[in-house]
Amino acid sequence: MIMRKVTTKLFALYLPQFHQIPENDKFWGKGFTDWVSVKNAKPIFDGHNQPKVPLNENYYDLSNEECVEWQAKLAYDHGIYGFAVYHYWFNNKQNILTRPAEILRDSKIVNVKYFYIWDNNNWKRSWSNVKGNDWAPSAENSNKTGPSILIPYILGEENDWENHYNYLRKHFKSDNYEKNDNKPIFAIISYSNEMYNMCQFWNKLAKKDGFDGLYFIVMRGRSNEKLQWASKYTYQPHYVSFWKKSLLQKAIERIFPFMKKTQSEARFFDYDQVWQSIIKQSEKDKDKTIINCAFVDYDDSPRRGATKSSIFKGATPEKFKKYFKQLLELNE
């Protein structure tokens, strides 16, 4: 994620799913983390680089303070300013995968900053028929039964919003939490109009805490394109790839010829053409509140399996360096 300022600040999206929690033990089997999906991945075409093995076979545990601090140092040493950490507050009773952010919050030695990006959606069983349910089909077990929604997302009302803010307050007050003009940054993945009152309520609470409000960032999309009070980020490569099927699928494929499907329904994308679209989109943007995102590579077959995955072909470190440098220059 790229923050537009006098000096460009680079934030890497940070997934906390690489440590064991009771909920994952219950839903997917004891000891489940995303490492299970990584290790169980299978190649689905000739030359497909799966399963991938981390450097030195370091299957790290993000509940370990030393691991998080090591990653923070690694990021800092290579020019990353901070982490945008996924936040999984579903409702007043269930706030999960909190450990890595709390380590970043309380550490006295990390040099990177962090802020939260709230994934405010239901957590759904991957083998159900719930619309939009695509979290991890590779963990599917067709013989298993249970509720389709594993953890419900409940926005709630003022009392619920205050309870949520009270949890966030300790993060906001941490010196390690990133602020913009004395406003703690808070990003929202699925913003909708009913969240407006919550955001304004949080602004009031933040001001009582000595801040000048909160600095909200929402995912760029048709529903929030005209928001004047929040910055918007282009979640990549999703934003330019238009992955989700719709009635306009054929038209989209004509516009984006790099989108191709096989008979297995796995989707293949041309890395160069997608990146070129990202560059062109950034060149056209005149709105300085737009935060342009980047991606290194993408292959979700370890989670989605052969029939539902999206795979980018042609990625190399050299190509990423070239395209990322272009995007940086456009956003300085």
Side-chain angles (χ1 to χ4, degrees), residues 68-78 83 110-112:
V68 175
E69 291 178 339
W70 159 70
Q71 289 188 336
K73 183 180 186 304
L74 187 68
Y76 179 82
D77 290 346
H78 290 81
F83 296 140
V110 298
N111 291 319
V112 299

Side-chain angles (χ1 to χ4, degrees), residues 171-198:
H171 285 279
F172 294 161
K173 289 189 173 183
S174 169
D175 291 338
N176 297 336
Y177 197 93
E178 179 69 355
K179 284 88 174 174
N180 185 35
D181 295 331
N182 196 36
K183 296 179 180 181
I185 295 174
F186 190 80
I188 301 172
I189 287 182
S190 298
Y191 176 82
S192 55
N193 290 332
E194 62 264 30
M195 301 186 74
Y196 175 82
N197 290 335
M198 184 205 73

Side-chain angles (χ1 to χ4, degrees), residues 74-267:
L74 187 68
Y76 179 82
D77 290 346
H78 290 81
I80 300 297
Y81 181 83
F83 296 140
V85 183
Y86 281 93
H87 176 52
Y88 295 99
W89 177 284
F90 292 97
N91 53 63
N92 282 334
K93 294 182 179 179
Q94 289 173 296
N95 176 31
I96 67 173
L97 296 166
T98 60
R99 176 66 176 155
E102 290 170 356
I103 292 172
L104 290 169
R105 178 192 68 193
D106 299 334
S107 176
K108 302 301 182 184
I109 66 171
V110 298
N111 291 319
V112 299
K113 299 291 187 178
Y114 77 101
F115 66 87
Y116 265 140
I117 177 167
W118 185 19
D119 192 350
N120 54 321
N121 293 283
N122 290 324
W123 203 359
K124 302 168 184 175
R125 188 179 296 279
S126 67
W127 47 80
S128 76
N129 293 320
V130 176
K131 183 179 180 181
N133 183 6
D134 57 359
W135 180 72
S138 64
E140 181 175 318
N141 180 346
S142 60
N143 295 321
K144 196 163 184 175
T145 60
S148 58
I149 295 178
L150 301 172
I151 306 178
Y153 160 65
I154 302 171
L155 178 62
E157 299 180 351
E158 276 198 11
N159 288 340
D160 306 294
W161 306 340
E162 186 168 10
N163 187 41
H164 189 179
Y165 179 88
N166 287 340
Y167 171 77
L168 294 170
R169 173 186 282 118
K170 191 174 180 180
H171 285 279
F172 294 161
K173 289 189 173 183
S174 169
D175 291 338
N176 297 336
Y177 197 93
E178 179 69 355
K179 284 88 174 174
N180 185 35
D181 295 331
N182 196 36
K183 296 179 180 181
I185 295 174
F186 190 80
I188 301 172
I189 287 182
S190 298
Y191 176 82
S192 55
N193 290 332
E194 62 264 30
M195 301 186 74
Y196 175 82
N197 290 335
M198 184 205 73
C199 294
Q200 300 313 309
F201 181 69
W202 279 8
N203 269 331
K204 293 178 183 178
L205 296 179
K207 289 176 181 178
K208 287 182 181 179
D209 283 336
F211 300 112
D212 292 333
L214 294 182
Y215 188 88
F216 289 102
I217 306 172
V218 301
M219 188 185 295
R220 189 179 190 183
R222 293 179 182 177
S223 62
N224 54 47
E225 197 68 26
K226 295 182 180 180
L227 285 181
Q228 300 300 316
W229 55 271
S231 289
K232 294 166 281 290
Y233 67 97
T234 56
Y235 192 56
Q236 302 292 12
H238 300 64
Y239 184 75
V240 298
S241 299
F242 290 89
W243 292 0
K244 293 183 178 180
K245 294 180 181 178
S246 72
L247 295 176
L248 298 177
Q249 185 66 46
K250 291 183 180 179
I252 291 172
E253 289 179 359
R254 285 198 298 270
I255 297 172
F256 298 97
F258 49 84
M259 180 185 294
K260 297 178 181 179
K261 295 184 293 183
T262 68
Q263 292 180 351
S264 68
E265 295 187 358
R267 296 186 178 196

Side-chain angles (χ1 to χ4, degrees), residues 259-276:
M259 180 185 294
K260 297 178 181 179
K261 295 184 293 183
T262 68
Q263 292 180 351
S264 68
E265 295 187 358
R267 296 186 178 196
F268 295 95
F269 297 80
D270 183 280
Y271 186 80
D272 295 281
Q273 291 189 22
V274 171
W275 252 111
Q276 287 161 13

Side-chain angles (χ1 to χ4, degrees), residues 3-9 180-181 328-329 331-332:
M3 301 285 305
R4 270 195 175 106
K5 277 196 168 185
V6 176
T7 301
T8 302
K9 297 179 179 179
N180 185 35
D181 295 331
L328 277 175
E329 292 171 348
N331 287 272
E332 289 180 343

